[in-house]
């Protein structure tokens, strides 16, 4: 029987990063993945393919609506959805192959097949053809991720009533896409098809979209997406989804309790994701789950079985690739006797709509609830020279700092390249910077990042220069 120091089950961003870090630290490492391609949800049916489609659809949107304003005259652009999907597949293929390269480079043994515990130290790998082998591992890291969840009364036919996975592979642009759930995935994929010409209606149970993010971002994003043509039915609880031929009928109750019906040709159900532990044989190893079906872990991400750890979407916390990656590194370093740490307050959240939305640290709503005395500085993107040059004038930067100490408690951005800009907030907060620290740092001109400096000036002493 093959023996390993560390075996990782699942090759998503949590799993493959854990394996690389373990190998770097000198452990004899294996990774088990049930699919033929490595990279998990993120690389195959999540982060990367969705961004590829967002980029393609953004090019189309620009060609259709923005080129003429820049003085570029082209014939009416057309969508070739087959090519858009094919290009997305090429991007996924290149990216997942990159993970195979990294596994080879780090001398990590890759097993293709379903990993399931035989005991706390033995894992059976069952291949598609039914053959199997069992390996022995001193430590195991569970990184089996998550799957799309649904509502009990919805039957997903995966043709017209679909999850994000199918939405990444449509053969036509929907005429009317009804999205159930105004969270990150629904808004990103809704944006893709809106830009490609679909009518898009988002039905959301809460009274706002992206409910976990700062209220200012949610408000601004609603305004901008409405301007782009997206329709919203907020405070609306879906009660039935029925498919009849090429039509999907969504029945819901609005906030007055009145029945509303919306019909489309596709319905994307994006109401969240659930941890995935099917077929893992956790009972044979004695690993416990929590009340929400997640693998239960302590602060060191160790399960109730001492040599078994768990990371990423399958445990508590934000379901984000970079959170999973940090946890993969943390566990490998703990196994090597190091004392790593993750500040979960500083895991940024991003929505890749256009404009992009990103936030880190506390929201204003959270600080109010916690009774913390704070001050707010903000700056609109439209006041930046860079934004006017590119034409991306929607959005704002909002910085929340401690009323007394000026320490930055939260940074919230909606605007062009917010996903990249938020790194400044993360770094500043990792080093416990004050708003004044940012305000006194030179920011290249003209850049979108100048809005961060201006918001920091506003938070420090209401002294932004360009407003
Ligand atoms: C449409 C979409 C867009 C997203 N966009 C972003 C984004 O822009 N940024 C971001 O941070 N996050 C994004 N996410 C979330 C991100 O994909 C997840 O948070 C991330 O993939 C979690 O990583 P993980 O390693 O925990 O698990 P996963 O990536 O889910 O990987 C788990 C792997 O384990 C394998 N597996 C499961 N059970 C077994 C078993 N018993 N044996 C062997 N293998 C097994 C699975 O096949 C899978 O490959 C997106 C998700 C979706 C669906």
């Amino acid at each position: 029987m093959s023996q390993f120091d560390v075996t990782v089950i699942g090759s998503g961003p949590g799993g493959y990063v854990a394996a690389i870090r373990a190998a770097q630290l000198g452990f004899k490492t294996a990774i088990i993945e049930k699919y033929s391609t490595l990279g998990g949800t993120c690389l195959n049916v999540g982060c990367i393919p969705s961004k590829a489609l967002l980029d393609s659809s953004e090019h189309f949107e620009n060609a259709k609506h923005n080129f003429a304003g820049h003085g570029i005259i082209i014939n009416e652009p057309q969508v070739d959805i087959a090519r858009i999907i094919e290009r997305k597949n090429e991007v996924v293929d290149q990216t997942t192959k990159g993970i195979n390269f990294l596994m080879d480079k780090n001398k990590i043994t890759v097993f293709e097949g379903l990993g399931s515990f035989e005991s706390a130290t033995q894992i059976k790998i069952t291949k598609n053809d039914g053959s199997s082998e069992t390996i022995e591992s001193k430590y195991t890291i569970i990184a089996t991720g998550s799957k799309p969840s649904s509502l009990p009364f919805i039957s997903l036919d995966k043709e017209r009533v679909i999850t994000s996975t199918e939405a990444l592979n449509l053969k036509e642009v929907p005429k009317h896409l009804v999205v159930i759930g105004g969270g990150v995935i629904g808004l990103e994929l809704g944006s893709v098809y809106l830009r490609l010409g679909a009518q898009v209606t988002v039905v959301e149970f809460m009274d706002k979209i992206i409910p976990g993010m700062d209220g200012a971002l949610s408000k601004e994003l609603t305004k901008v997406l409405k301007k782009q043509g997206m329709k919203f039915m907020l405070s609306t609880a879906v009660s039935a989804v029925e498919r009849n031929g090429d039509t999907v009928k969504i029945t819901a109750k609005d906030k007055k309790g009145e029945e509303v019906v919306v019909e489309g040709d596709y319905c994307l159900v994006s109401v969240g994701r659930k941890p995935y532990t099917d077929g893992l044989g956790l009972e044979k190893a004695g690993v416990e789950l929590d009340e929400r079906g997640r693998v239960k872990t302590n602060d060191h991400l160790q399960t109730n079985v001492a040599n078994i750890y768990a990371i990423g979407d399958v445990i508590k916390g934000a379901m984000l690739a970079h959170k999973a990656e940090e946890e993969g590194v943390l566990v490998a370093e703990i196994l090597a006797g190091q004392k790593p740490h993750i500040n979960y307050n500083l895991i940024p959240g991003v929505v890749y709509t256009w404009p992009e939305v990103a936030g880190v640290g506390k929201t204003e709503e959270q600080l109010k609830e916690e009774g913390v005395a704070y001050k707010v500085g903000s700056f609109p993107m439209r006041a930046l020279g860079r934004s006017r040059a590119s034409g991306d004038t929607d959005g704002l930067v909002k910085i929340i700092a401690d009323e007394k100490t000026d320490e930055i408690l939260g940074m919230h951005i909606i605007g062009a390249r917010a996903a990249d800009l938020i790194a400044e907030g993360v770094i500043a907060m990792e080093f416990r910077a004050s708003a004044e620290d940012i305000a006194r740092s030179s920011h290249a001109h003209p850049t979108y990042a100048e809005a961060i400096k201006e918001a920091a000036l506003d938070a420090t002493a209401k002294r932004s220069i360009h407003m």
Side-chain angles (χ1 to χ4, degrees), residues 9-15 32-35 39-42 45-47 50-51 113-115 143-146 164 185 273 276 278 280 311-313 319-322 324 352:
I9 309 180
S11 72
I32 307 170
E33 171 55 56
K34 67 176 183 168
Y35 289 124
T41 303
C42 180
V45 288
C47 327
S50 58
K51 265 81 257 176
L114 181 82
T144 50
S146 62
S164 57
I185 293 175
R273 296 180 61 84
Y276 185 74
D278 290 4
L280 196 50
I311 58 172
D313 280 12
M319 287 184 166
L320 290 169
H322 43 286
Y352 293 81

mmCIF file of all heavy atoms in Angstrom, residues 9-15 32-35 39-42 45-47 50-51 113-115 143-146 164 185 273 276 278 280 311-313 319-322 324 352, ligand 1:
data_model
loop_
_atom_site.group_PDB
_atom_site.id
_atom_site.type_symbol
_atom_site.label_atom_id
_atom_site.label_comp_id
_atom_site.label_asym_id
_atom_site.label_seq_id
_atom_site.Cartn_x
_atom_site.Cartn_y
_atom_site.Cartn_z
ATOM 1 N N ILE A 9 -7.890 15.533 -0.301
ATOM 2 C CA ILE A 9 -9.024 15.035 -1.101
ATOM 3 C C ILE A 9 -9.743 16.239 -1.687
ATOM 4 O O ILE A 9 -10.318 17.039 -0.959
ATOM 5 C CB ILE A 9 -9.999 14.176 -0.263
ATOM 6 C CG1 ILE A 9 -9.251 13.082 0.497
ATOM 7 C CG2 ILE A 9 -11.085 13.577 -1.164
ATOM 8 C CD1 ILE A 9 -10.150 12.188 1.358
ATOM 9 N N GLY A 10 -9.684 16.369 -3.024
ATOM 10 C CA GLY A 10 -10.292 17.512 -3.710
ATOM 11 C C GLY A 10 -9.214 18.443 -4.228
ATOM 12 O O GLY A 10 -8.290 18.805 -3.487
ATOM 13 N N SER A 11 -9.331 18.830 -5.515
ATOM 14 C CA SER A 11 -8.240 19.616 -6.123
ATOM 15 C C SER A 11 -8.651 21.035 -6.487
ATOM 16 O O SER A 11 -8.104 21.619 -7.420
ATOM 17 C CB SER A 11 -7.731 18.904 -7.375
ATOM 18 O OG SER A 11 -8.716 19.039 -8.386
ATOM 19 N N GLY A 12 -9.647 21.605 -5.768
ATOM 20 C CA GLY A 12 -10.008 23.008 -5.982
ATOM 21 C C GLY A 12 -8.907 23.915 -5.447
ATOM 22 O O GLY A 12 -7.819 23.449 -5.072
ATOM 23 N N PRO A 13 -9.161 25.228 -5.407
ATOM 24 C CA PRO A 13 -8.122 26.158 -4.932
ATOM 25 C C PRO A 13 -7.682 25.877 -3.497
ATOM 26 O O PRO A 13 -6.540 26.163 -3.131
ATOM 27 C CB PRO A 13 -8.781 27.530 -5.050
ATOM 28 C CG PRO A 13 -10.228 27.283 -5.255
ATOM 29 C CD PRO A 13 -10.378 25.925 -5.835
ATOM 30 N N GLY A 14 -8.561 25.321 -2.686
ATOM 31 C CA GLY A 14 -8.143 24.919 -1.341
ATOM 32 C C GLY A 14 -7.189 23.746 -1.429
ATOM 33 O O GLY A 14 -6.051 23.783 -0.930
ATOM 34 N N GLY A 15 -7.640 22.684 -2.107
ATOM 35 C CA GLY A 15 -6.893 21.429 -2.155
ATOM 36 C C GLY A 15 -5.559 21.521 -2.861
ATOM 37 O O GLY A 15 -4.522 21.101 -2.334
ATOM 38 N N ILE A 32 -6.181 13.710 -4.402
ATOM 39 C CA ILE A 32 -7.170 12.831 -5.047
ATOM 40 C C ILE A 32 -8.273 13.707 -5.636
ATOM 41 O O ILE A 32 -8.821 14.561 -4.938
ATOM 42 C CB ILE A 32 -7.806 11.866 -4.014
ATOM 43 C CG1 ILE A 32 -6.729 11.111 -3.241
ATOM 44 C CG2 ILE A 32 -8.784 10.909 -4.692
ATOM 45 C CD1 ILE A 32 -7.258 10.312 -2.042
ATOM 46 N N GLU A 33 -8.582 13.498 -6.904
ATOM 47 C CA GLU A 33 -9.654 14.282 -7.538
ATOM 48 C C GLU A 33 -10.542 13.337 -8.338
ATOM 49 O O GLU A 33 -10.051 12.560 -9.145
ATOM 50 C CB GLU A 33 -9.054 15.370 -8.448
ATOM 51 C CG GLU A 33 -10.061 16.099 -9.320
ATOM 52 C CD GLU A 33 -11.225 16.733 -8.546
ATOM 53 O OE1 GLU A 33 -10.984 17.547 -7.630
ATOM 54 O OE2 GLU A 33 -12.393 16.399 -8.855
ATOM 55 N N LYS A 34 -11.850 13.458 -8.105
ATOM 56 C CA LYS A 34 -12.743 12.510 -8.791
ATOM 57 C C LYS A 34 -12.949 12.831 -10.257
ATOM 58 O O LYS A 34 -13.282 11.959 -11.047
ATOM 59 C CB LYS A 34 -14.071 12.398 -8.053
ATOM 60 C CG LYS A 34 -14.929 13.636 -8.069
ATOM 61 C CD LYS A 34 -16.251 13.339 -7.387
ATOM 62 C CE LYS A 34 -17.134 14.570 -7.461
ATOM 63 N NZ LYS A 34 -18.496 14.321 -7.106
ATOM 64 N N TYR A 35 -12.763 14.104 -10.641
ATOM 65 C CA TYR A 35 -12.914 14.445 -12.063
ATOM 66 C C TYR A 35 -11.576 14.317 -12.786
ATOM 67 O O TYR A 35 -10.512 14.352 -12.154
ATOM 68 C CB TYR A 35 -13.449 15.870 -12.212
ATOM 69 C CG TYR A 35 -14.901 16.010 -11.799
ATOM 70 C CD1 TYR A 35 -15.287 16.926 -10.822
ATOM 71 C CD2 TYR A 35 -15.893 15.215 -12.378
ATOM 72 C CE1 TYR A 35 -16.620 17.053 -10.429
ATOM 73 C CE2 TYR A 35 -17.222 15.335 -11.995
ATOM 74 C CZ TYR A 35 -17.585 16.249 -11.034
ATOM 75 O OH TYR A 35 -18.897 16.374 -10.657
ATOM 76 N N GLY A 39 -8.485 21.370 -10.355
ATOM 77 C CA GLY A 39 -8.872 22.778 -10.222
ATOM 78 C C GLY A 39 -10.219 23.010 -9.573
ATOM 79 O O GLY A 39 -10.557 24.141 -9.218
ATOM 80 N N GLY A 40 -11.038 21.950 -9.442
ATOM 81 C CA GLY A 40 -12.290 22.076 -8.688
ATOM 82 C C GLY A 40 -13.304 22.995 -9.328
ATOM 83 O O GLY A 40 -13.238 23.309 -10.524
ATOM 84 N N THR A 41 -14.238 23.442 -8.499
ATOM 85 C CA THR A 41 -15.307 24.332 -8.946
ATOM 86 C C THR A 41 -14.717 25.584 -9.565
ATOM 87 O O THR A 41 -15.112 26.017 -10.652
ATOM 88 C CB THR A 41 -16.172 24.744 -7.732
ATOM 89 O OG1 THR A 41 -16.673 23.557 -7.110
ATOM 90 C CG2 THR A 41 -17.332 25.631 -8.142
ATOM 91 N N CYS A 42 -13.767 26.195 -8.875
ATOM 92 C CA CYS A 42 -13.234 27.493 -9.248
ATOM 93 C C CYS A 42 -12.724 27.500 -10.690
ATOM 94 O O CYS A 42 -13.113 28.348 -11.492
ATOM 95 C CB CYS A 42 -12.134 27.887 -8.286
ATOM 96 S SG CYS A 42 -11.409 29.470 -8.661
ATOM 97 N N VAL A 45 -15.873 25.268 -13.208
ATOM 98 C CA VAL A 45 -17.265 25.754 -13.355
ATOM 99 C C VAL A 45 -17.547 26.931 -12.429
ATOM 100 O O VAL A 45 -18.677 27.111 -11.981
ATOM 101 C CB VAL A 45 -18.289 24.602 -13.088
ATOM 102 C CG1 VAL A 45 -18.289 23.596 -14.211
ATOM 103 C CG2 VAL A 45 -18.061 23.947 -11.729
ATOM 104 N N GLY A 46 -16.521 27.715 -12.108
ATOM 105 C CA GLY A 46 -16.732 28.816 -11.160
ATOM 106 C C GLY A 46 -16.019 30.078 -11.581
ATOM 107 O O GLY A 46 -16.291 30.645 -12.647
ATOM 108 N N CYS A 47 -15.060 30.491 -10.743
ATOM 109 C CA CYS A 47 -14.363 31.764 -10.919
ATOM 110 C C CYS A 47 -13.875 32.004 -12.347
ATOM 111 O O CYS A 47 -14.172 33.041 -12.947
ATOM 112 C CB CYS A 47 -13.118 31.834 -10.028
ATOM 113 S SG CYS A 47 -13.224 30.989 -8.456
ATOM 114 N N SER A 50 -16.546 31.884 -15.380
ATOM 115 C CA SER A 50 -17.491 33.011 -15.288
ATOM 116 C C SER A 50 -16.795 34.312 -15.680
ATOM 117 O O SER A 50 -17.370 35.156 -16.354
ATOM 118 C CB SER A 50 -18.124 33.109 -13.893
ATOM 119 O OG SER A 50 -17.152 33.265 -12.893
ATOM 120 N N LYS A 51 -15.525 34.448 -15.287
ATOM 121 C CA LYS A 51 -14.812 35.680 -15.665
ATOM 122 C C LYS A 51 -14.516 35.707 -17.169
ATOM 123 O O LYS A 51 -14.513 36.769 -17.790
ATOM 124 C CB LYS A 51 -13.517 35.817 -14.859
ATOM 125 C CG LYS A 51 -13.684 36.668 -13.628
ATOM 126 C CD LYS A 51 -14.277 35.954 -12.444
ATOM 127 C CE LYS A 51 -15.683 36.208 -12.130
ATOM 128 N NZ LYS A 51 -16.204 35.406 -11.017
ATOM 129 N N GLY A 113 -9.987 9.736 -9.119
ATOM 130 C CA GLY A 113 -11.006 8.823 -8.604
ATOM 131 C C GLY A 113 -11.658 9.405 -7.368
ATOM 132 O O GLY A 113 -11.223 10.439 -6.843
ATOM 133 N N LEU A 114 -12.711 8.748 -6.908
ATOM 134 C CA LEU A 114 -13.423 9.211 -5.718
ATOM 135 C C LEU A 114 -12.664 8.765 -4.470
ATOM 136 O O LEU A 114 -12.402 7.564 -4.294
ATOM 137 C CB LEU A 114 -14.839 8.607 -5.701
ATOM 138 C CG LEU A 114 -15.698 9.020 -4.516
ATOM 139 C CD1 LEU A 114 -16.321 10.390 -4.762
ATOM 140 C CD2 LEU A 114 -16.788 7.995 -4.254
ATOM 141 N N GLY A 115 -12.291 9.712 -3.633
ATOM 142 C CA GLY A 115 -11.586 9.373 -2.395
ATOM 143 C C GLY A 115 -12.596 9.133 -1.282
ATOM 144 O O GLY A 115 -13.508 9.944 -1.091
ATOM 145 N N ALA A 143 -10.882 18.653 1.240
ATOM 146 C CA ALA A 143 -11.079 19.906 0.477
ATOM 147 C C ALA A 143 -12.079 19.627 -0.640
ATOM 148 O O ALA A 143 -11.827 19.925 -1.799
ATOM 149 C CB ALA A 143 -9.741 20.385 -0.082
ATOM 150 N N THR A 144 -13.220 19.046 -0.247
ATOM 151 C CA THR A 144 -14.176 18.549 -1.248
ATOM 152 C C THR A 144 -15.177 19.603 -1.714
ATOM 153 O O THR A 144 -16.053 19.306 -2.528
ATOM 154 C CB THR A 144 -14.902 17.303 -0.714
ATOM 155 O OG1 THR A 144 -15.399 17.609 0.602
ATOM 156 C CG2 THR A 144 -13.967 16.121 -0.631
ATOM 157 N N GLY A 145 -15.084 20.812 -1.186
ATOM 158 C CA GLY A 145 -15.819 21.937 -1.770
ATOM 159 C C GLY A 145 -17.321 21.936 -1.580
ATOM 160 O O GLY A 145 -17.835 21.479 -0.563
ATOM 161 N N SER A 146 -17.996 22.435 -2.616
ATOM 162 C CA SER A 146 -19.440 22.640 -2.504
ATOM 163 C C SER A 146 -20.117 22.401 -3.849
ATOM 164 O O SER A 146 -19.452 22.292 -4.877
ATOM 165 C CB SER A 146 -19.712 24.073 -2.052
ATOM 166 O OG SER A 146 -19.222 24.977 -3.033
ATOM 167 N N SER A 164 -25.613 27.531 -11.942
ATOM 168 C CA SER A 164 -24.502 28.257 -12.568
ATOM 169 C C SER A 164 -23.727 27.351 -13.528
ATOM 170 O O SER A 164 -23.249 27.808 -14.574
ATOM 171 C CB SER A 164 -23.563 28.814 -11.494
ATOM 172 O OG SER A 164 -23.091 27.781 -10.659
ATOM 173 N N ILE A 185 -23.179 35.273 -7.675
ATOM 174 C CA ILE A 185 -23.202 34.417 -8.869
ATOM 175 C C ILE A 185 -24.363 34.805 -9.783
ATOM 176 O O ILE A 185 -24.204 34.917 -11.004
ATOM 177 C CB ILE A 185 -23.253 32.923 -8.458
ATOM 178 C CG1 ILE A 185 -21.932 32.547 -7.760
ATOM 179 C CG2 ILE A 185 -23.502 32.024 -9.660
ATOM 180 C CD1 ILE A 185 -21.887 31.144 -7.196
ATOM 181 N N ARG A 273 -24.728 27.883 -2.191
ATOM 182 C CA ARG A 273 -24.079 26.602 -2.421
ATOM 183 C C ARG A 273 -24.041 25.816 -1.123
ATOM 184 O O ARG A 273 -24.071 26.399 -0.049
ATOM 185 C CB ARG A 273 -22.651 26.830 -2.968
ATOM 186 C CG ARG A 273 -22.661 27.505 -4.338
ATOM 187 C CD ARG A 273 -21.275 27.731 -4.878
ATOM 188 N NE ARG A 273 -20.519 26.497 -5.062
ATOM 189 C CZ ARG A 273 -20.596 25.714 -6.145
ATOM 190 N NH1 ARG A 273 -21.377 26.041 -7.148
ATOM 191 N NH2 ARG A 273 -19.884 24.611 -6.237
ATOM 192 N N TYR A 276 -20.054 19.855 0.176
ATOM 193 C CA TYR A 276 -20.155 18.571 -0.524
ATOM 194 C C TYR A 276 -19.313 17.503 0.170
ATOM 195 O O TYR A 276 -18.079 17.602 0.200
ATOM 196 C CB TYR A 276 -19.693 18.756 -1.970
ATOM 197 C CG TYR A 276 -19.877 17.530 -2.813
ATOM 198 C CD1 TYR A 276 -21.141 17.140 -3.239
ATOM 199 C CD2 TYR A 276 -18.790 16.726 -3.158
ATOM 200 C CE1 TYR A 276 -21.324 15.997 -3.996
ATOM 201 C CE2 TYR A 276 -18.958 15.584 -3.917
ATOM 202 C CZ TYR A 276 -20.231 15.233 -4.331
ATOM 203 O OH TYR A 276 -20.410 14.095 -5.087
ATOM 204 N N ASP A 278 -20.554 13.989 -0.176
ATOM 205 C CA ASP A 278 -21.109 12.706 -0.635
ATOM 206 C C ASP A 278 -19.988 11.718 -0.974
ATOM 207 O O ASP A 278 -19.014 12.079 -1.627
ATOM 208 C CB ASP A 278 -21.950 12.914 -1.909
ATOM 209 C CG ASP A 278 -23.236 13.658 -1.617
ATOM 210 O OD1 ASP A 278 -23.434 14.067 -0.458
ATOM 211 O OD2 ASP A 278 -24.026 13.833 -2.573
ATOM 212 N N LEU A 280 -17.740 10.394 0.682
ATOM 213 C CA LEU A 280 -16.428 10.603 1.311
ATOM 214 C C LEU A 280 -16.162 9.604 2.445
ATOM 215 O O LEU A 280 -15.032 9.467 2.899
ATOM 216 C CB LEU A 280 -16.395 12.053 1.829
ATOM 217 C CG LEU A 280 -15.089 12.716 2.205
ATOM 218 C CD1 LEU A 280 -14.036 12.568 1.120
ATOM 219 C CD2 LEU A 280 -15.343 14.205 2.465
ATOM 220 N N ILE A 311 -10.772 22.214 4.838
ATOM 221 C CA ILE A 311 -10.579 23.597 4.375
ATOM 222 C C ILE A 311 -11.592 23.960 3.290
ATOM 223 O O ILE A 311 -12.207 23.085 2.687
ATOM 224 C CB ILE A 311 -9.154 23.801 3.787
ATOM 225 C CG1 ILE A 311 -8.916 22.824 2.622
ATOM 226 C CG2 ILE A 311 -8.086 23.614 4.852
ATOM 227 C CD1 ILE A 311 -7.620 23.065 1.861
ATOM 228 N N GLY A 312 -11.738 25.241 3.048
ATOM 229 C CA GLY A 312 -12.494 25.724 1.884
ATOM 230 C C GLY A 312 -14.005 25.707 2.065
ATOM 231 O O GLY A 312 -14.520 25.849 3.166
ATOM 232 N N ASP A 313 -14.706 25.515 0.951
ATOM 233 C CA ASP A 313 -16.173 25.598 0.941
ATOM 234 C C ASP A 313 -16.834 24.533 1.812
ATOM 235 O O ASP A 313 -18.001 24.690 2.174
ATOM 236 C CB ASP A 313 -16.695 25.415 -0.497
ATOM 237 C CG ASP A 313 -16.593 26.677 -1.331
ATOM 238 O OD1 ASP A 313 -15.920 27.632 -0.899
ATOM 239 O OD2 ASP A 313 -17.188 26.708 -2.429
ATOM 240 N N MET A 319 -17.617 31.313 1.128
ATOM 241 C CA MET A 319 -17.301 30.354 0.064
ATOM 242 C C MET A 319 -16.579 31.098 -1.044
ATOM 243 O O MET A 319 -17.176 31.556 -2.019
ATOM 244 C CB MET A 319 -18.573 29.692 -0.444
ATOM 245 C CG MET A 319 -19.133 28.689 0.544
ATOM 246 S SD MET A 319 -20.566 27.847 -0.134
ATOM 247 C CE MET A 319 -20.713 26.480 1.018
ATOM 248 N N LEU A 320 -15.270 31.274 -0.859
ATOM 249 C CA LEU A 320 -14.448 32.039 -1.793
ATOM 250 C C LEU A 320 -13.154 31.286 -2.050
ATOM 251 O O LEU A 320 -12.590 30.677 -1.127
ATOM 252 C CB LEU A 320 -14.116 33.417 -1.208
ATOM 253 C CG LEU A 320 -15.277 34.406 -1.095
ATOM 254 C CD1 LEU A 320 -14.870 35.607 -0.262
ATOM 255 C CD2 LEU A 320 -15.760 34.832 -2.472
ATOM 256 N N ALA A 321 -12.681 31.380 -3.283
ATOM 257 C CA ALA A 321 -11.465 30.659 -3.654
ATOM 258 C C ALA A 321 -10.268 31.100 -2.816
ATOM 259 O O ALA A 321 -9.476 30.267 -2.348
ATOM 260 C CB ALA A 321 -11.178 30.886 -5.134
ATOM 261 N N HIS A 322 -10.118 32.428 -2.620
ATOM 262 C CA HIS A 322 -8.918 32.895 -1.920
ATOM 263 C C HIS A 322 -8.982 32.573 -0.424
ATOM 264 O O HIS A 322 -7.950 32.429 0.214
ATOM 265 C CB HIS A 322 -8.668 34.390 -2.168
ATOM 266 C CG HIS A 322 -9.890 35.241 -2.102
ATOM 267 N ND1 HIS A 322 -10.832 35.244 -3.097
ATOM 268 C CD2 HIS A 322 -10.338 36.108 -1.181
ATOM 269 C CE1 HIS A 322 -11.806 36.091 -2.784
ATOM 270 N NE2 HIS A 322 -11.526 36.620 -1.614
ATOM 271 N N ALA A 324 -10.288 29.695 0.622
ATOM 272 C CA ALA A 324 -9.877 28.285 0.586
ATOM 273 C C ALA A 324 -8.357 28.173 0.456
ATOM 274 O O ALA A 324 -7.712 27.349 1.120
ATOM 275 C CB ALA A 324 -10.570 27.580 -0.578
ATOM 276 N N TYR A 352 -17.971 40.572 -9.789
ATOM 277 C CA TYR A 352 -17.384 41.005 -11.077
ATOM 278 C C TYR A 352 -18.427 41.479 -12.066
ATOM 279 O O TYR A 352 -18.405 41.106 -13.244
ATOM 280 C CB TYR A 352 -16.551 39.867 -11.676
ATOM 281 C CG TYR A 352 -15.317 39.542 -10.865
ATOM 282 C CD1 TYR A 352 -15.410 38.740 -9.741
ATOM 283 C CD2 TYR A 352 -14.082 40.061 -11.213
ATOM 284 C CE1 TYR A 352 -14.283 38.448 -8.993
ATOM 285 C CE2 TYR A 352 -12.949 39.768 -10.461
ATOM 286 C CZ TYR A 352 -13.057 38.967 -9.362
ATOM 287 O OH TYR A 352 -11.946 38.681 -8.618
HETATM 288 C C1 LIG B 1 -20.113 30.501 -10.987
HETATM 289 C C2 LIG B 1 -19.161 30.673 -9.834
HETATM 290 C C3 LIG B 1 -18.313 31.753 -9.824
HETATM 291 C C4 LIG B 1 -17.423 31.924 -8.756
HETATM 292 N N1 LIG B 1 -16.590 32.996 -8.787
HETATM 293 C C5 LIG B 1 -15.725 33.179 -7.773
HETATM 294 C C6 LIG B 1 -14.806 34.258 -7.798
HETATM 295 O O1 LIG B 1 -14.786 35.053 -8.746
HETATM 296 N N2 LIG B 1 -13.951 34.399 -6.763
HETATM 297 C C7 LIG B 1 -13.966 33.534 -5.702
HETATM 298 O O2 LIG B 1 -13.178 33.724 -4.777
HETATM 299 N N3 LIG B 1 -14.801 32.491 -5.658
HETATM 300 C C8 LIG B 1 -15.683 32.279 -6.670
HETATM 301 N N4 LIG B 1 -16.506 31.207 -6.645
HETATM 302 C C9 LIG B 1 -16.436 30.288 -5.485
HETATM 303 C C10 LIG B 1 -15.249 29.335 -5.619
HETATM 304 O O3 LIG B 1 -15.377 28.601 -6.796
HETATM 305 C C11 LIG B 1 -15.197 28.402 -4.415
HETATM 306 O O4 LIG B 1 -15.205 29.153 -3.234
HETATM 307 C C12 LIG B 1 -13.931 27.551 -4.459
HETATM 308 O O5 LIG B 1 -13.896 26.781 -5.622
HETATM 309 C C13 LIG B 1 -13.862 26.638 -3.239
HETATM 310 O O6 LIG B 1 -12.691 25.896 -3.325
HETATM 311 P P1 LIG B 1 -12.544 24.478 -2.622
HETATM 312 O O7 LIG B 1 -11.147 24.048 -2.863
HETATM 313 O O8 LIG B 1 -13.035 24.547 -1.229
HETATM 314 O O9 LIG B 1 -13.556 23.501 -3.376
HETATM 315 P P2 LIG B 1 -13.909 23.230 -4.898
HETATM 316 O O10 LIG B 1 -13.325 24.212 -5.802
HETATM 317 O O11 LIG B 1 -15.384 23.024 -4.927
HETATM 318 O O12 LIG B 1 -13.177 21.855 -5.212
HETATM 319 C C14 LIG B 1 -13.528 20.654 -4.614
HETATM 320 C C15 LIG B 1 -13.038 19.513 -5.466
HETATM 321 O O13 LIG B 1 -13.159 18.317 -4.719
HETATM 322 C C16 LIG B 1 -13.551 17.278 -5.585
HETATM 323 N N5 LIG B 1 -14.144 16.207 -4.773
HETATM 324 C C17 LIG B 1 -15.245 16.276 -3.995
HETATM 325 N N6 LIG B 1 -15.435 15.127 -3.331
HETATM 326 C C18 LIG B 1 -14.412 14.305 -3.702
HETATM 327 C C19 LIG B 1 -14.044 12.999 -3.347
HETATM 328 N N7 LIG B 1 -14.727 12.281 -2.437
HETATM 329 N N8 LIG B 1 -12.939 12.463 -3.929
HETATM 330 C C20 LIG B 1 -12.220 13.179 -4.827
HETATM 331 N N9 LIG B 1 -12.525 14.439 -5.190
HETATM 332 C C21 LIG B 1 -13.596 14.987 -4.624
HETATM 333 C C22 LIG B 1 -14.531 17.949 -6.515
HETATM 334 O O14 LIG B 1 -14.701 17.209 -7.694
HETATM 335 C C23 LIG B 1 -13.859 19.299 -6.724
HETATM 336 O O15 LIG B 1 -13.006 19.246 -7.842
HETATM 337 C C24 LIG B 1 -17.395 30.979 -7.697
HETATM 338 C C25 LIG B 1 -18.246 29.880 -7.717
HETATM 339 C C26 LIG B 1 -19.115 29.717 -8.784
HETATM 340 C C27 LIG B 1 -20.006 28.511 -8.793
#
